[in-house]
Amino acid sequence: MSDQEQSGTRKMTHQRKMMLKSLMLNKAREDLKRETEEKAEEKKAALSKRLQPLGDLLSMSQQDLMDLCRDLHAKIDKVDEQRFDIEGRVKKNDQDIEDLNQKIFDLRGKFKRPPLRRVRMSADQMLRALLGSKHKVSMDLRSNLKAVKKGETKKEDAEVKDWRDNIEAKAGMGGKMAVFEGKE
């Protein structure tokens, strides 16, 4: 007797593994098929309970058809209201689940840090984001500047007679120092 036979375990051959795998896949396919058929039957049963047969529409009078349409519209409105209420409850439950998950993360001390991206923003956009969109913010820098009288600067320029005289006065090291120190 070998060691494998004594321990009670045998090594499975490749063919046996493939055969078992194919049998398991076939069984899973059958189960899925049966499950989809059962769901289809349940759906038909539920619809047959909820839906009423309309009867012979060709033999109905116009007034009967109008009454039938009104009833159908009323039922549609009722179902639509129920759908809207259920959607509201689902959204509320999703928000509650998200809040509870956030509390769990807070209690554990592990925080998810979202990756931050650089965003280019102008000064107007930054102030609008800080102050809100209701406050009109404008960065008109010229309005905040001190007013300068233009007439006085023209008089100083008029005193300079000839540009050549001005260049000769600034020529040499003494002239450059005068320009640097602000003297003329």
Side-chain angles (χ1 to χ4, degrees):
M1 287 187 157
S2 67
D3 291 334
Q4 289 178 356
E5 291 175 4
Q6 288 176 355
S7 63
T9 60
R10 281 201 236 170
K11 203 170 196 181
M12 225 188 284
T13 64
H14 180 69
Q15 291 176 341
R16 182 159 173 83
K17 281 183 187 179
M18 293 303 287
M19 186 181 73
L20 289 174
K21 189 176 182 180
S22 66
L23 288 174
M24 288 173 53
L25 286 174
N26 287 337
K27 178 69 173 155
R29 274 192 213 106
E30 290 173 7
D31 289 345
L32 283 174
K33 188 176 180 181
R34 188 173 5 96
E35 193 175 305
T36 54
E37 289 173 357
E38 288 174 2
K39 284 183 180 180
E41 289 174 10
E42 288 175 11
K43 184 177 180 181
K44 285 180 185 178
L47 288 175
S48 65
K49 287 179 185 176
R50 292 182 184 176
L51 297 178
Q52 299 171 355
L54 294 176
D56 188 19
L57 297 177
L58 297 175
S59 65
M60 290 185 173
S61 67
Q62 187 172 0
Q63 186 62 35
D64 291 339
L65 288 173
M66 290 173 71
D67 291 340
L68 180 64
C69 287
R70 285 188 191 104
D71 291 341
L72 290 176
H73 278 290
K75 289 179 182 178
I76 289 171
D77 289 342
K78 184 178 178 183
V79 168
D80 197 34
E81 287 176 9
Q82 289 175 349
R83 180 189 57 83
F84 183 76
D85 292 342
I86 290 172
E87 282 179 0
R89 277 191 249 139
V90 167
K91 285 181 182 178
K92 183 180 179 285
N93 289 342
D94 287 343
Q95 185 63 39
D96 291 343
I97 289 170
E98 184 64 32
D99 292 343
L100 291 173
N101 282 336
Q102 187 62 39
K103 283 183 182 179
I104 289 171
F105 282 124
D106 291 345
L107 291 174
R108 286 184 186 166
K110 296 179 182 176
F111 299 103
K112 285 186 177 178
R113 292 186 180 162
L116 299 178
R117 295 179 290 146
R118 287 185 182 250
V119 179
R120 286 191 171 182
M121 263 188 164
S122 68
D124 287 338
Q125 290 172 333
M126 208 174 301
L127 288 174
R128 198 176 302 125
L130 291 173
L131 299 176
S133 61
K134 293 181 180 178
H135 302 287
K136 179 155 174 119
V137 179
S138 65
M139 291 293 295
D140 189 14
L141 298 174
R142 293 182 181 164
S143 65
N144 296 333
L145 294 177
K146 182 178 173 183
V148 177
K149 296 179 183 177
K150 293 183 178 179
E152 295 175 3
T153 57
K154 294 286 182 178
K155 290 178 186 176
E156 293 174 6
D157 292 340
E159 292 175 6
V160 177
K161 297 175 184 172
D162 190 14
W163 61 273
R164 291 182 206 110
D165 295 337
N166 193 13
I167 289 177
E168 290 174 4
K170 293 181 181 176
M173 193 59 161
K176 291 182 183 172
M177 284 300 286
V179 170
F180 182 72
E181 293 173 355
K183 299 177 188 173
E184 290 201 287

